[in-house]
Amino acid sequence: ALISPDMSSLSIIAGGHPPPILKSGGTAVELDVPPGPPIGVDTGSRWNELRVELPERPWSLLVYTDGLIEGRSSPAGPRPFGHHRLIDLLEGREPPLGDADLDAILAAVRSANGGPLPDDVVMLAVSPA
């Protein structure tokens, strides 16, 4: 992802991870980034870039690995937790997203799963200063 110096636009490619989520005001929207293969898996692959005009501040861009959404929807429930449940967790939070927000999201996802998640999890929230 590359954010313009004036924080007005974003250019992004997806190299094997789920699409990022843009949180602005009361909404959380999954960006429609064309999926590409994981970087380094297929050296002949091309990745398609998505350009997005960013909203007025404050906003946060959440990028994450698929481990965050692959767990169970409840301890005895089906998999996956899924994108829509993650968006639901974000709906109640205001940007900019901070460490406490990410910790709470991870705790909610782990609780839904009934314990540790089956895959590694990385989350990063980027917000303008």
Side-chain angles (χ1 to χ4, degrees), residues 84-109:
H84 64 284
R85 287 184 184 89
L86 178 56
I87 288 173
D88 288 347
L89 288 175
L90 288 166
E91 289 292 341
R93 303 188 175 280
E94 291 299 321
L97 298 175
D99 290 343
D101 295 302
L102 299 184
D103 288 344
I105 290 166
L106 183 57
V109 171

Side-chain angles (χ1 to χ4, degrees), residues 21 23 60-64 68 86 89-90 93-94 96-110 117 121-127:
I21 298 171
K23 175 68 180 158
S60 291
L61 180 71
L62 178 68
V63 293
Y64 58 96
L68 184 63
L86 178 56
L89 288 175
L90 288 166
R93 303 188 175 280
E94 291 299 321
L97 298 175
D99 290 343
D101 295 302
L102 299 184
D103 288 344
I105 290 166
L106 183 57
V109 171
R110 282 183 176 156
L117 296 166
V121 174
V122 176
M123 285 188 289
L124 173 68
V126 178
S127 305

